[in-house]
Amino acid sequence: MDLADATFRATPNVSFEVVVIDDGSDDNTWQVLEQLARRYSFLRLARHRSRRGIADALRTGYLHARGHVLVFYPADLQFKPEDIPRLVAPILADEADMVTGFKEGKYEKALVSGIYNRLSRLLFDVKVKDLNSVKAYRREIMAGLPVRPDWHRYMVVIAAAQGFKVAEVPVPLYPRNAGRSKFATWHRIPIGVLDMLSVWFELTFGQKPLLLFGMLGATIFVVGVLAGLLALARLWIYDVGQRWVWTMLQTCLILGGVFGAAGLLGEQIAGQRAELRELRRRLDETDGPSSASTDDRLSR
């Protein structure tokens, strides 16, 4: 907290607050935080009864923060608070809506991160080097982020898809003060790839599921009809029937109908989701910070 306090004092033209999330710690973390909160007026605390992960911690921090610019910073001090002003500067200057930090220094999960970043750039065409690092972003970006486990890793991708301007600045990476990484093992790669495909599907077809299921169903249905016409033609011309063609016809017609019905059902679900997002946005506007201005409040 001393480092954060020194950084905040060095930038008196911008007001800050620090929201610390105790994600179900089973040690004396909460007691230490309460002592620090009595010492530092900018410190705000929130607590989870059990471990819920980074995505839920970010959501809790967003709900407790009062600022219009939020900064995600891990508590292990691999990144120093002194770099926060450089992260938020493009946002305060209205040059970007989200700024992600490009890590400079020795990185213990560089291989896994490199694979993830290359696949993400290939799939989503987002022109930043490091998608999963410290970030500064406008409050409305968090408001529009789907509440899904591990989807915080795709905040940059989702923000870019929603039309927000994304920028990148280099940030030094320091040795971890405490704890150890949970994402440096090989088993995280298939999990990350599946999450990536899930995000891609959401961004590509989440708003219009009939575009996928309807076209797929229509294609299969047409293949079935053509197969049936071909079988009828062969039966009429050569007086020869082929059972596999009739089996294919029946299968295609059934699958085409199923995919078409799934697309229509998906459209209904997408409509309900859109209404829920709009309701959530209005609630956030009603219950959001009233005393903060876009230019002069920052939450970490």
Side-chain angles (χ1 to χ4, degrees), residues 82-98:
E82 62 197 47
D83 294 313
I84 293 177
R86 292 195 302 110
L87 273 175
V88 303
I91 300 177
L92 297 181
D94 203 25
E95 298 172 354
D97 302 303
M98 167 177 269

Side-chain angles (χ1 to χ4, degrees), residues 20-23 25 27-36 44-48:
V20 178
I21 312 301
D22 178 4
D23 189 32
S25 298
D27 53 18
N28 64 337
T29 296
W30 186 251
Q31 289 74 24
V32 172
L33 288 174
E34 288 181 320
Q35 294 175 6
L36 291 172
R44 295 168 58 81
L45 308 179
R47 190 180 192 182
H48 292 165

Side-chain angles (χ1 to χ4, degrees), residues 171-225:
V171 291
L173 184 69
Y174 300 91
R176 189 186 301 271
N177 276 34
R180 58 185 178 85
S181 174
K182 301 178 180 62
F183 304 98
T185 55
W186 280 98
H187 80 275
R188 296 297 308 182
I189 294 179
I191 295 175
V193 170
L194 291 176
D195 283 340
M196 190 181 304
L197 292 176
S198 178
V199 173
W200 175 82
F201 182 88
E202 169 69 21
L203 296 178
T204 307
F205 301 110
Q207 306 301 317
K208 296 182 178 180
L210 189 59
L211 183 64
L212 173 64
F213 292 104
M215 291 298 296
L216 186 59
T219 301
I220 294 176
F221 192 88
V222 169
V223 170
V225 171

Side-chain angles (χ1 to χ4, degrees), residues 8 16 71 73 80-89 298 300:
F8 301 160
F16 296 81
V71 181
Y73 244 62
K80 302 297 184 183
E82 62 197 47
D83 294 313
I84 293 177
R86 292 195 302 110
L87 273 175
V88 303
L298 176 69
R300 171 179 172 247

Side-chain angles (χ1 to χ4, degrees), residues 26-265:
D26 54 8
D27 53 18
N28 64 337
T29 296
W30 186 251
Q31 289 74 24
V32 172
L33 288 174
E34 288 181 320
Q35 294 175 6
L36 291 172
R38 289 191 287 268
R39 179 179 174 186
Y40 298 100
S41 59
F42 57 78
L43 182 59
R44 295 168 58 81
L45 308 179
R47 190 180 192 182
H48 292 165
R49 294 183 180 274
S50 61
R51 294 184 180 180
R52 291 157 53 181
I54 296 178
D56 271 4
L58 280 174
R59 180 70 181 170
T60 300
Y62 154 72
L63 294 174
H64 282 76
R66 296 170 294 187
H68 285 274
V69 179
L70 310 177
V71 181
F72 163 53
Y73 244 62
D76 55 18
L77 291 182
Q78 279 195 294
F79 304 95
K80 302 297 184 183
E82 62 197 47
D83 294 313
I84 293 177
R86 292 195 302 110
L87 273 175
V88 303
I91 300 177
L92 297 181
D94 203 25
E95 298 172 354
D97 302 303
M98 167 177 269
V99 180
T100 181
F102 172 59
K103 294 184 284 291
E104 292 185 326
K106 185 177 180 181
Y107 191 37
E108 62 186 57
K109 52 179 181 176
L111 179 60
V112 175
S113 180
I115 294 174
Y116 158 78
N117 281 307
R118 286 185 179 87
L119 288 176
S120 295
R121 287 195 297 269
L122 179 65
L123 195 59
F124 300 108
D125 194 29
V126 178
K127 304 301 183 182
V128 296
K129 300 175 184 176
D130 198 342
L131 293 170
N132 191 24
S133 181
V134 290
K135 303 173 184 68
Y137 44 92
R138 298 191 187 277
R139 186 181 185 92
E140 52 264 35
I141 290 179
M142 192 66 197
L145 185 71
V147 184
R148 297 282 298 275
D150 288 342
W151 275 34
H152 64 280
R153 293 180 292 169
Y154 301 95
M155 288 180 67
V156 176
V157 169
I158 296 172
Q162 292 175 348
F164 292 102
K165 294 182 292 184
V166 178
E168 187 174 39
V169 299
V171 291
L173 184 69
Y174 300 91
R176 189 186 301 271
N177 276 34
R180 58 185 178 85
S181 174
K182 301 178 180 62
F183 304 98
T185 55
W186 280 98
H187 80 275
R188 296 297 308 182
I189 294 179
I191 295 175
V193 170
L194 291 176
D195 283 340
M196 190 181 304
L197 292 176
S198 178
V199 173
W200 175 82
F201 182 88
E202 169 69 21
L203 296 178
T204 307
F205 301 110
Q207 306 301 317
K208 296 182 178 180
L210 189 59
L211 183 64
L212 173 64
F213 292 104
M215 291 298 296
L216 186 59
T219 301
I220 294 176
F221 192 88
V222 169
V223 170
V225 171
L226 292 177
L229 293 176
L230 177 63
L232 287 174
R234 287 179 63 84
L235 182 62
W236 181 62
I237 297 173
Y238 301 107
D239 196 26
V240 175
Q242 293 182 314
R243 183 176 297 277
W244 70 268
V245 177
W246 294 107
T247 301
M248 180 179 176
L249 167 63
Q250 296 171 27
T251 302
C252 288
L253 293 180
I254 293 173
L255 285 179
V258 169
F259 278 117
L264 293 174
L265 180 61

